[in-house]
Amino acid sequence: MKENILLPATYDCMFKALMLNEELRPFLKELINIITGIPLELLEEIEVLNSEYLINNKKEKKLKSDIVVSIGNKYINIEMNSEYYKGVFDKNDAYLNKLKMTMYKAGESYYKAGQVIQINFNEFYHFKEKKDIYKFMFREEETHELDEDSTVKYHVCLLNIWDRCYNEDIKKLTRFERFCLILKAETKEYAKKVAGDDEVMGNIVDEIARLSLDNTMIGLYNAEIEEEKIKRTRIEAATQEGLEIGIKKGIEQGLK
């Protein structure tokens, strides 16, 4: 029974292990291709970079994102956001801006510096419309003219895809929907069903299954779960404390 249970690839430790695996590069390339529209032939030149950004001074906070890849003069930052909390997108913006600074320093000029793209895989609903992929760019409010800043941010709503597609006939699903279902799958049986006889998907399911039995990965996964519980507890405690303080002040004000 244990061999059928998978550690979801929506957790950082699993996601990074899969995306950084050279043998699974076809999966990463197809994901980027579908989301951004960058042709697969250009993605053959993909290069995985060190995601630990350069620190300019000792006071600067150390930043480490999930995945950073480059294709020519395009740099792509990929983030897995397993839960929403106030500031999660600000944190990702910090990664994005730091990458832009590093890119500009390395380039011959700002004109030749290239483009920075961020892809966020979100395990929650956040935006109003239930879209699978959101694309954000800098536009003028009334004329909708694009700003010269070529930064693009994509948000993939994994939860929307899961809720809509989980019980659907696999044959009716797109490759992208199947890719996302595999990332969220919690059993090998279901992941295999989604993958079918597709080699790219089959390879990633096999690696998820292997990692799910790896003691080191299980330890990292459990640590990540525990960290999330602690973070959630602190937020709930702070919210409750703020509510109690507000009620107390309201009573005092009412008595006055």
Side-chain angles (χ1 to χ4, degrees):
M1 186 69 178
K2 184 180 177 182
E3 291 184 358
N4 189 45
I5 303 299
L6 298 181
L7 302 181
T10 52
Y11 282 85
D12 277 355
C13 55
M14 285 290 288
F15 186 69
K16 288 179 182 177
L18 296 170
M19 296 301 104
L20 296 177
N21 187 328
E22 283 192 36
E23 294 181 2
L24 302 177
R25 203 57 47 86
F27 186 87
L28 175 61
K29 290 175 184 176
E30 268 204 76
L31 271 180
I32 294 174
N33 163 254
I34 295 169
I35 295 167
T36 68
I38 298 174
L40 281 172
E41 54 266 28
L42 293 181
L43 289 168
E44 289 302 318
E45 305 299 322
I46 196 170
E47 180 182 355
V48 177
L49 306 177
N50 183 359
S51 63
E52 193 164 335
Y53 301 137
L54 297 173
I55 306 300
N56 292 329
N57 59 67
K58 63 182 180 181
K59 293 183 180 179
E60 187 174 350
K61 187 177 180 180
K62 196 171 186 180
L63 295 175
K64 192 167 186 179
S65 62
D66 284 355
I67 309 293
V68 179
V69 301
S70 68
I71 307 105
N73 68 342
K74 293 181 187 291
Y75 295 82
I76 303 177
N77 165 218
I78 306 173
E79 298 292 328
M80 176 60 74
N81 302 312
S82 59
E83 65 174 352
Y84 178 79
Y85 57 88
K86 192 173 178 61
V88 64
F89 295 142
D90 290 334
K91 177 201 72 174
N92 291 350
D93 283 344
Y95 297 153
L96 189 69
N97 292 329
K98 187 65 180 178
L99 180 58
K100 288 173 70 174
M101 286 175 59
T102 304
M103 179 188 73
Y104 287 142
K105 285 180 180 180
E108 297 177 6
S109 68
Y110 290 120
Y111 178 73
K112 295 181 179 180
Q115 182 185 32
V116 177
I117 298 169
Q118 185 175 75
I119 300 173
N120 292 284
F121 287 93
N122 301 327
E123 261 280 74
F124 48 79
Y125 288 108
H126 179 69
F127 304 106
K128 285 185 179 180
E129 299 294 331
K130 288 189 174 182
K131 293 179 60 176
D132 292 346
I133 303 175
Y134 292 83
K135 180 179 180 180
F136 291 91
M137 303 171 72
F138 291 103
R139 291 181 184 272
E140 204 283 328
E141 184 177 12
E142 295 180 358
T143 67
H144 304 295
E145 293 172 88
L146 284 176
D147 189 90
E148 287 190 2
D149 188 324
S150 59
T151 303
V152 181
K153 289 199 295 184
Y154 295 92
H155 287 272
V156 177
C157 186
L158 289 173
L159 192 56
N160 185 51
I161 296 168
W162 180 262
D163 288 346
R164 188 184 72 248
C165 301
Y166 179 75
N167 290 317
E168 282 292 318
D169 182 351
I170 301 301
K171 294 179 182 178
K172 295 180 180 179
L173 302 180
T174 65
R175 284 182 68 77
F176 180 64
E177 289 169 338
R178 292 166 69 191
F179 277 19
C180 292
L181 290 177
I182 286 171
L183 290 177
K184 280 184 61 62
E186 295 184 356
T187 67
K188 187 175 179 180
E189 180 184 8
Y190 180 73
K192 284 285 189 184
K193 177 184 173 183
V194 173
D197 58 1
D198 185 88
E199 184 178 359
V200 172
M201 291 187 239
N203 287 340
I204 200 158
V205 170
D206 288 342
E207 182 61 10
I208 292 173
R210 187 190 71 79
L211 289 172
S212 296
L213 297 174
D214 182 86
N215 289 330
T216 300
M217 183 57 67
I218 292 171
L220 291 171
Y221 173 79
N222 289 337
E224 199 169 326
I225 292 287
E226 185 62 25
E227 185 179 347
E228 284 188 2
K229 286 182 181 178
I230 292 171
K231 186 192 300 177
R232 199 175 298 118
T233 301
R234 285 174 176 169
I235 291 172
E236 290 175 357
T239 301
Q240 183 62 32
E241 184 180 355
L243 181 63
E244 291 172 357
I245 291 172
I247 292 172
K248 183 179 180 181
K249 285 185 177 180
I251 293 173
E252 291 175 353
Q253 188 66 33
L255 289 173
K256 286 182 182 180

